[in-house]
Amino acid sequence: MLPHLIADCYVVTQLRHTASKRGKDPTFRVAPAIELLKKHLPEGRRVVDIGPRNRIEPDLLEAAGWRVEAVDLWPMAPGIRRGAMERLPYPNCSFDAAVLIHSLEHARDLEQAGREITRVLRPGASVLVEVPVGAEPNAHDRHRFDVKEDVLRPFALAGARPEHLQTDRRGGALRVLFRLDRRLRVTV
């Protein structure tokens, strides 16, 4: 199959899934993630929320005291910027933290997503990733995650040297909180 057709299939699949869940309330997922992040990230810090779909997730993060910018491949609400996690529309070192709740498994290119997320984060930034556990890859959920090392790998490949802080596994989801090495050097 030609590369441009593969890309088009990816985009169509992601749009179809997003549209079907545009009004879904993610509070049951976001609340435990916020509690985990609060232990390691002071209020007032800049957070990029990658793949929130609608305004509920960024609003909950803002209510917890952080300054949030949201980006999604297919934003379904005002105030969410359009962009792919493999090519984020932000300058280098823009954020103190990144939150990816059920979005990393959709990456077109997991290693490139790790590089790009690392690029927009400041050295020492916190990253919170929540993914489904053990799901078989398909056209929409493209990557399988079983253990924390699966989550850390794309960031390690980006040269970020992630420092694991905490893991929480329940309800079919794996939450991994880590910090990027303070000596991180990003090159573009």
Side-chain angles (χ1 to χ4, degrees), residues 16-186:
R16 185 179 302 127
H17 185 76
T18 298
S20 71
K21 294 189 174 185
R22 95 180 69 195
K24 186 175 180 182
D25 185 349
T27 303
F28 72 100
R29 288 187 178 137
V30 180
I34 287 173
E35 291 308 311
L36 190 59
L37 191 56
K38 275 181 149 180
K39 297 175 184 176
H40 299 277
L41 186 67
E43 289 183 9
R45 299 298 170 103
R46 273 189 92 204
V47 174
V48 60
D49 186 6
I50 300 172
R53 197 178 300 121
N54 59 40
R55 280 299 316 173
I56 297 169
E57 189 172 304
D59 289 348
L60 289 167
L61 291 164
E62 287 175 352
W66 298 300
R67 295 177 294 136
V68 179
E69 291 202 35
V71 60
D72 198 295
L73 184 61
W74 296 109
M76 295 290 178
I80 298 176
R81 205 164 170 182
R82 184 176 191 157
M85 69 181 85
E86 296 89 355
R87 190 170 178 188
L88 294 168
Y90 303 106
N92 294 353
C93 302
S94 295
F95 298 97
D96 301 299
V99 173
L100 295 95
I101 298 177
H102 286 265
S103 55
L104 189 60
E105 66 272 17
H106 307 302
R108 179 182 305 185
D109 180 333
L110 199 53
E111 189 174 333
Q112 176 59 30
R115 279 193 301 273
E116 188 65 1
I117 294 163
T118 298
R119 180 188 67 76
V120 301
L121 294 175
R122 294 183 179 114
S126 298
V127 181
L128 177 65
V129 176
E130 179 175 318
V131 290
V133 177
E136 288 303 320
N138 58 52
H140 178 64
D141 294 336
R142 299 169 54 86
H143 306 281
R144 181 181 174 136
F145 299 92
D146 294 310
V147 294
K148 74 175 190 259
E149 289 78 12
D150 295 337
V151 172
L152 299 175
R153 187 171 297 110
F155 298 92
L157 290 171
R161 296 177 26 191
E163 173 193 346
H164 176 255
L165 298 173
Q166 195 168 343
T167 297
D168 177 33
R169 185 177 177 148
R170 61 181 133 144
L174 175 68
R175 280 182 207 90
V176 181
L177 178 64
F178 56 97
R179 184 172 296 131
L180 298 181
D181 188 292
R182 294 190 184 283
R183 294 166 291 173
L184 172 68
R185 294 177 194 267
V186 177

